[in-house]
Short mmCIF file of all heavy atoms in Angstrom, two decimals:
data_model
loop_
_atom_site.label_atom_id
_atom_site.label_comp_id
_atom_site.label_asym_id
_atom_site.label_seq_id
_atom_site.Cartn_x
_atom_site.Cartn_y
_atom_site.Cartn_z
N GLN Q 119 32.30 21.87 139.59
CA GLN Q 119 32.78 20.65 140.22
C GLN Q 119 33.21 19.61 139.28
O GLN Q 119 34.28 18.98 139.48
CB GLN Q 119 31.52 20.03 140.99
CG GLN Q 119 31.10 20.88 142.26
CD GLN Q 119 30.61 20.07 143.35
OE1 GLN Q 119 29.76 19.18 143.12
NE2 GLN Q 119 31.07 20.36 144.55
N ALA Q 120 32.70 19.61 138.08
CA ALA Q 120 33.10 18.63 137.14
C ALA Q 120 34.41 19.05 136.44
O ALA Q 120 35.28 18.22 136.15
CB ALA Q 120 32.07 18.54 135.90
N LEU Q 121 34.61 20.34 136.36
CA LEU Q 121 35.95 20.78 135.76
C LEU Q 121 37.04 20.52 136.70
O LEU Q 121 38.28 20.37 136.18
CB LEU Q 121 35.85 22.41 135.50
CG LEU Q 121 35.04 22.79 134.33
CD1 LEU Q 121 35.01 24.36 134.23
CD2 LEU Q 121 35.60 22.29 133.06
N LEU Q 122 36.84 20.43 137.93
CA LEU Q 122 37.94 20.16 138.92
C LEU Q 122 38.45 18.62 138.87
O LEU Q 122 39.53 18.31 139.24
CB LEU Q 122 37.48 20.36 140.36
CG LEU Q 122 37.38 21.81 140.73
CD1 LEU Q 122 36.83 21.93 142.18
CD2 LEU Q 122 38.70 22.51 140.56
N VAL Q 123 37.66 17.71 138.28
CA VAL Q 123 38.01 16.26 138.24
C VAL Q 123 39.03 16.23 137.02
O VAL Q 123 38.85 16.78 135.99
CB VAL Q 123 36.72 15.42 138.03
CG1 VAL Q 123 37.17 13.99 137.95
CG2 VAL Q 123 35.78 15.74 139.09
N LYS Q 124 40.04 15.37 137.32
CA LYS Q 124 41.05 15.27 136.26
C LYS Q 124 40.62 14.72 134.97
O LYS Q 124 41.01 15.19 133.93
CB LYS Q 124 42.20 14.31 136.96
CG LYS Q 124 43.62 14.64 136.37
CD LYS Q 124 44.57 13.49 136.75
CE LYS Q 124 44.91 13.57 138.22
NZ LYS Q 124 45.79 12.39 138.58
N GLU Q 125 39.94 13.71 135.01
CA GLU Q 125 39.61 12.97 133.72
C GLU Q 125 38.16 13.26 133.12
O GLU Q 125 37.79 12.55 132.18
CB GLU Q 125 39.62 11.40 133.99
CG GLU Q 125 41.08 10.93 134.09
CD GLU Q 125 41.13 9.47 134.17
OE1 GLU Q 125 40.57 8.80 133.29
OE2 GLU Q 125 41.71 8.95 135.20
N SER Q 126 37.48 14.22 133.66
CA SER Q 126 36.24 14.61 133.05
C SER Q 126 36.33 15.27 131.74
O SER Q 126 37.44 15.84 131.34
CB SER Q 126 35.36 15.51 133.96
OG SER Q 126 36.05 16.72 134.12
N SER Q 127 35.34 15.22 130.85
CA SER Q 127 35.49 15.84 129.50
C SER Q 127 35.23 17.34 129.56
O SER Q 127 34.18 17.74 129.66
CB SER Q 127 34.48 15.10 128.56
OG SER Q 127 33.22 15.35 129.04
N LYS Q 128 36.36 18.04 129.75
CA LYS Q 128 36.27 19.43 130.00
C LYS Q 128 35.62 20.21 128.84
O LYS Q 128 34.91 21.20 129.07
CB LYS Q 128 37.70 19.98 130.32
CG LYS Q 128 38.21 19.30 131.51
CD LYS Q 128 39.32 19.98 132.15
CE LYS Q 128 39.74 19.37 133.43
NZ LYS Q 128 39.83 17.92 133.42
N SER Q 129 35.84 19.85 127.59
CA SER Q 129 35.38 20.49 126.44
C SER Q 129 33.85 20.47 126.41
O SER Q 129 33.19 21.57 126.23
CB SER Q 129 35.87 19.97 125.15
OG SER Q 129 35.66 18.62 125.02
N ALA Q 130 33.29 19.41 126.74
CA ALA Q 130 31.79 19.14 126.82
C ALA Q 130 31.17 20.06 127.88
O ALA Q 130 30.17 20.72 127.60
CB ALA Q 130 31.45 17.73 126.99
N VAL Q 131 31.89 20.12 129.09
CA VAL Q 131 31.35 20.94 130.16
C VAL Q 131 31.43 22.39 129.75
O VAL Q 131 30.47 23.11 130.06
CB VAL Q 131 32.13 20.65 131.46
CG1 VAL Q 131 31.72 21.44 132.60
CG2 VAL Q 131 32.07 19.14 131.91
N LEU Q 132 32.57 22.74 129.17
CA LEU Q 132 32.74 24.25 128.89
C LEU Q 132 31.64 24.58 127.75
O LEU Q 132 31.03 25.73 127.85
CB LEU Q 132 34.10 24.42 128.35
CG LEU Q 132 35.14 24.45 129.39
CD1 LEU Q 132 36.55 24.56 128.81
CD2 LEU Q 132 34.96 25.62 130.37
#
Side-chain angles (χ1 to χ4, degrees):
Chain Q
Q119 289 213 315
L121 283 178
L122 287 180
V123 182
K124 206 194 284 173
E125 282 185 58
S126 64
S127 59
K128 298 198 170 48
S129 56
V131 176
L132 286 172

